[in-house]
Amino acid sequence: MAGVQTAVSPPRVAAAPHSVTLWGAYAVTFLLRCSQMGTIAIIVPYLLDRGVPVAMLGTIMICSAFGSALSNLVTGRLVDRFGAWRSLVGGCFIAFLGAVIFLVVSWLPAMAASYLITTGGMAAAGNALRTTIGLGTPAAEHERTFGRFNSIGTAGALVGPLMVGLIVIDGTAAAPWFAVAALGSASVLGLLSRKPAIPSELRKTVEGKEEEDAPAKVSLLDVLRAVGPVIALVSATATMYGVYAVLWGPFLRELGAADPIIPWSFTATMLPVVLLSPHANKVLPRTPRWLVVGVVTAMLGALAFVYSMTTSIWMAIVISVVEGVLMAISVPLTYALITKLAPPAALGRAFGVASASDSISSGIGTSIAGVLIAAGGVSFVFELAGAYCVAGTALALVWWWRKSIKR
C-alpha cells in the first residue's frame, strides 16, 4: 500500500507474554465483562421497577451502543497519545463513576446520560486492554494471547448474569450494586497493575512519550486504509448479531422452548469460546490469517441459513455449539490481524474504529430486527442476516486479496 506501512508488526522480543501485568489485564477484562453482561441481563426489569415507562426504555438502551461507539472513536487517539495503561485506569474509573450516578439518580435524562458514561468508560478500558496486549507481547504470541483474552472475557460474560441472578431474588434494586462493585474492583486492579512491559522499541508509542525518533504521525485515513477489510468484516458480523439479539427469543419460542431455555441457550455458544479461544493460533497455522478469518466468518453467516431450517430446540442448541467453535477461532484471529495490519503508532485508533464499527452495526441490526420480523417472519430474517454477513465477508476477502497482490 503506497505511503502506508500497513504490514508493520511489533518486533519479536524475548519477554514472556503472560507476565503479571498481562494477567492483571485479564482480570480487569473479566470484571468489565461481568459488569457489562450482568447489567444487560437485568437492565430492563430494573428500569421498569424504577418507574421508567415502557415507551422510554429504548431511549436509555440506545445509549449503550452510542456511548460505546463514541468512546471508541474518541479514546483510540487518547490511547495512542497518553498510553494504554493511563487510558485503562481512566476508562475503568469513568465507568465506575457512571455506574454510581446511575444507581442514585431517578430523572430519566440523568439515567440515560449516566448509562452512556458507563458504557463509554468500559469501551475506553477495553480499547486500552487490546492495545496493551497488541503492543506488549511479541508478534508471534498475538493469536494465543488474544485467544486467552477472548476466553477470559467470555467467561466473565457468562459469570456476570449468573451472579446478578443470585442477587435479584428479592427484587432488582440490588442489581446496580453488582456493576458498581465490579467496576470499582476493575478500577483498583487497573491502578495497581504495573505498567505494561512494552518492548523498548515501542515504549515511546505506548507511553505517549515524544522523542526525536518518534514515528511519523498517522492520520485516521491511514488507519482506515490499513484495517479497512477488518472493518468490513466486523461490520457484517456485528449487524448479524444485532439482529440475533432480537431474533433469538422469538426463534426459540416458535420452536416451543420454555423461557428459561432462552438465557441458558447462550451457554451452548459461549462455552466453546471460553474453552477453545486460547487455541485459535493452532488452526491452519501456515494459511494466511486473513483467509482463515474470512472463511470462518462466512461459515458463521451460512449457519444463519441452517437456523432458518431448524425445527428442533435441541438441533438449534447443537448449531449454537458449532457457532461457538467458529467464534473461538474468528475473534482472536481478528484481534491479531488488527495488530498486524495497523501502524503501531495508531494501534489504539485502529482498535477504536473497529470497536465503534461493531457497536454501530450491532445497534443498526437491533433497531431494524423487529421491523424485519414483523414483515417476513423469523426464518426470513435469519436468511437475510446470514446473506448480509456472507456478502460483507466476501467484500472483505476481495479487499484483502487485492491488498496482498499490491504487496
Side-chain angles (χ1 to χ4, degrees), residues 117-136:
I117 291 171
T118 301
T119 55
M122 286 193 285
N127 190 9
L129 284 166
R130 288 185 286 272
T131 305
T132 297
I133 292 172
L135 290 179

Side-chain angles (χ1 to χ4, degrees), residues 55-306:
M56 298 303 295
L57 290 175
T59 303
I60 293 180
M61 298 300 293
I62 196 64
C63 287
S64 175
F66 181 73
S68 180
L70 181 63
S71 176
N72 275 302
L73 288 173
V74 173
T75 60
R77 178 176 289 275
L78 297 180
V79 170
D80 293 328
R81 181 176 179 82
F82 295 106
W85 181 76
R86 293 187 185 97
S87 301
L88 170 62
V89 175
C92 289
F93 178 75
I94 290 170
F96 169 75
L97 182 62
V100 172
I101 296 173
F102 185 81
L103 179 68
V104 300
V105 300
S106 57
W107 186 43
L108 182 59
M111 295 182 76
S114 60
Y115 195 42
L116 185 149
I117 291 171
T118 301
T119 55
M122 286 193 285
N127 190 9
L129 284 166
R130 288 185 286 272
T131 305
T132 297
I133 292 172
L135 290 179
T137 59
E141 298 288 346
H142 282 162
E143 292 179 1
R144 184 162 66 97
T145 308
F146 277 119
R148 188 164 293 177
F149 171 81
N150 190 51
S151 174
I152 292 172
T154 304
L158 283 173
V159 171
L162 293 176
M163 295 183 69
V164 168
L166 295 176
I167 65 174
V168 298
I169 296 175
D170 296 323
T172 63
W177 286 104
F178 168 79
V180 169
L183 293 172
S185 300
S187 301
V188 173
L189 279 176
L191 185 63
L192 295 179
S193 295
R194 295 182 302 176
K195 293 185 179 182
I198 305 303
S200 58
E201 296 89 339
L202 295 169
R203 191 175 302 279
K204 57 181 176 294
T205 298
V206 180
E207 297 304 324
K209 294 179 181 178
E210 297 292 338
E211 298 183 6
E212 292 183 0
D213 60 343
K217 290 185 178 179
V218 182
S219 70
L220 179 59
L221 182 59
D222 292 335
V223 174
L224 292 175
R225 287 172 178 164
V227 298
V230 182
I231 301 302
L233 186 144
V234 167
S235 177
T237 53
T239 302
M240 182 178 72
Y241 281 112
V243 172
Y244 276 20
V246 178
L247 187 63
W248 192 247
F251 168 60
L252 290 184
R253 281 186 172 180
E254 281 193 5
L255 297 181
D259 283 346
I261 295 293
I262 297 174
W264 292 343
S265 68
F266 284 91
T267 305
T269 304
M270 295 304 170
L271 277 181
V273 178
V274 174
L275 297 174
L276 300 179
S277 288
H279 308 289
N281 62 307
K282 299 177 182 179
V283 178
L284 301 174
R286 298 183 180 181
T287 304
R289 309 322 272 161
W290 60 266
L291 183 58
V292 175
V293 171
V295 171
V296 170
T297 305
M299 292 172 66
L300 284 170
L303 280 183
F305 292 90
V306 182

Side-chain angles (χ1 to χ4, degrees), residues 26 174 269 319 325 341 348 355 382 403:
Y26 293 148
T269 304
I319 299 170
V325 173
L341 293 172
S355 297
F382 264 123
K403 285 165 69 73

